Amino acid sequence: MKLKMLVTATAVGLSCGGALAFDQGDLIKPVEKQTIVFVPKVVHPWYDVVAAGATKAAEELKTQGIEVEVIWDSPPQADVADHNRRIETNIGRHPDGLAVSCLDPSTNVQLLGEAVKAEVNVITFDTFCSEDFDFVGHKGDAQDGADLAKFLAEKIGDEGKVGILAGSLTAANHAARVKGFKEEIAKHPNIQIVFEQPDDDDLEKAVSLTENALQANPDLKGIFGANASNPIGAARAIQNAGKAGQVTIVGMDDLPETLQFIKDGVIAGVKAQRQWEIGYWAVKYLVAKNQNHTIPHVHATGSQIVTKDLLGN
């Protein structure tokens, strides 16, 4: 009897359109102008593609009557102190949204927590650093490393000396890729890792490290690069040494020079992320947060292996 009375009362309230009526659209707040700040790890061509996606999102929002200013505050080098200063400064500016690629999770997380306390909407992108914050990007870094290890092992006949260009030691995604690579290579007893060096996402440093590795190991058969810069650096050094095709290079991401090296047969293959999507959705979600929409806690953008066969002619 009580249940029947409750259902009847609810039905009456809805049909009469009285005090019980509720339009969920009223929860959405109108916005007209937004300022979104991106703080990447470093100035890098990889982030140019992220920026292109962010620009496209801003253009679409403009057609909806929302003016979005996208600001990039990029450290010239992958320096933790500089990166953190930029995050802290931008928290003080209180933008409508702050998108951060974590360079050093142990310190970045504390600062991003302060941003949330200051009521700045935060999204992390590119590198996952904590479940405390929404994330747009690719979390399968260890699997990428393992996939590239399998690919490299097959290409070199499952034996020989290989090296690792490890990227930035504090970058969680670089470290996870290296970990996945090493765990998979350990399953191939005839493959020996003879060097592992951080290049700090510096292309010229990757060139120099590869040159040194070739001098120390003239019989080197393969190189794994944990970021977007070092496959290019390794390829330049290998090509300059006249060893293209003799040393198999694998790594991350599909920058234009990387793709050309793949077409030329200098780089065997890379795992490419969809960073345009990262920029696009980071802007869309940060604006949506200010409108009081709900957004996914994690938007996985994925990766795929890119080879000469995939690129075609």
Side-chain angles (χ1 to χ4, degrees):
M1 178 63 72
K2 289 182 178 179
L3 178 59
K4 183 182 289 186
M5 291 174 64
L6 177 60
V7 172
T8 302
T10 303
V12 169
L14 291 174
S15 63
C16 292
L20 293 180
F22 175 65
D23 182 355
Q24 292 193 12
D26 292 339
L27 294 173
I28 306 307
K29 301 175 182 178
V31 298
E32 295 181 355
K33 292 185 178 181
Q34 297 278 277
T35 301
I36 307 296
V37 178
F38 282 78
V39 182
K41 297 191 194 84
V42 66
V43 173
H44 197 288
W46 191 89
Y47 292 112
D48 293 344
V49 184
V50 181
T55 298
K56 179 61 176 178
E59 290 172 352
E60 290 184 0
L61 287 164
K62 186 174 182 178
T63 66
Q64 301 169 25
I66 304 172
E67 292 281 347
V68 180
E69 181 184 13
V70 178
I71 299 171
W72 284 79
D73 192 357
S74 308
Q77 297 177 330
D79 178 84
V80 173
D82 186 16
H83 189 250
N84 283 333
R85 278 194 298 271
R86 292 169 190 270
I87 296 172
E88 192 169 19
T89 297
N90 282 295
I91 293 171
R93 291 171 177 160
H94 210 282
D96 299 296
L98 179 62
V100 173
S101 176
C102 290
L103 175 60
D104 178 37
S106 62
T107 54
N108 294 158
V109 167
Q110 180 180 347
L111 283 173
L112 295 179
E114 293 176 8
V116 173
K117 290 178 183 177
E119 299 184 344
V120 174
N121 282 324
V122 170
I123 277 181
T124 56
F125 73 101
D126 172 26
T127 305
F128 177 79
C129 58
S130 173
E131 289 289 351
D132 292 343
F133 313 105
D134 297 325
F135 174 71
V136 180
H138 178 52
K139 293 175 69 176
D141 301 301
Q143 188 60 54
D144 285 340
D147 290 345
L148 288 167
K150 291 178 185 177
F151 181 73
L152 177 60
E154 180 181 345
K155 289 291 183 181
I156 65 175
D158 215 29
E159 64 178 2
K161 296 178 180 179
V162 301
I164 298 172
L165 294 171
S168 300
L169 294 180
T170 59
N173 55 347
H174 298 179
R177 291 166 190 159
V178 171
K179 183 174 184 291
F181 180 85
K182 291 167 73 173
E183 287 178 351
E184 177 59 34
I185 288 296
K187 301 174 185 177
H188 303 261
N190 293 323
I191 297 179
Q192 179 186 6
I193 297 173
V194 294
F195 80 90
E196 178 182 344
Q197 293 290 335
D199 54 89
D200 300 320
D201 229 334
D202 185 321
L203 194 155
E204 294 304 325
K205 188 172 181 180
V207 173
S208 177
L209 289 170
T210 302
E211 290 171 344
N212 294 340
L214 289 173
Q215 291 178 3
N217 303 278
D219 55 346
L220 190 72
K221 292 187 70 174
I223 294 177
F224 163 67
N227 60 33
S229 296
N230 47 36
I232 296 173
R236 289 182 183 179
I238 294 298
Q239 191 171 61
N240 291 340
K243 290 196 170 187
Q246 299 175 43
V247 181
T248 300
I249 302 169
V250 300
M252 292 299 302
D253 297 309
D254 55 351
L255 298 180
E257 190 173 354
T258 302
L259 296 179
Q260 188 60 54
F261 275 129
I262 292 174
K263 290 179 180 179
D264 294 342
V266 184
I267 295 176
V270 294
K271 263 302 192 72
Q273 302 179 75
R274 298 182 65 179
Q275 64 265 41
W276 190 98
E277 296 277 347
I278 293 173
Y280 178 88
W281 287 110
V283 169
K284 284 292 185 88
Y285 287 149
L286 284 167
V287 173
K289 279 189 170 191
N290 284 303
Q291 293 173 310
N292 203 33
H293 286 293
T294 58
I295 70 167
H297 183 53
V298 174
H299 180 127
T301 52
S303 67
Q304 66 171 348
I305 196 157
V306 177
T307 63
K308 188 175 183 178
D309 290 342
L310 182 65
L311 295 176
N313 297 322

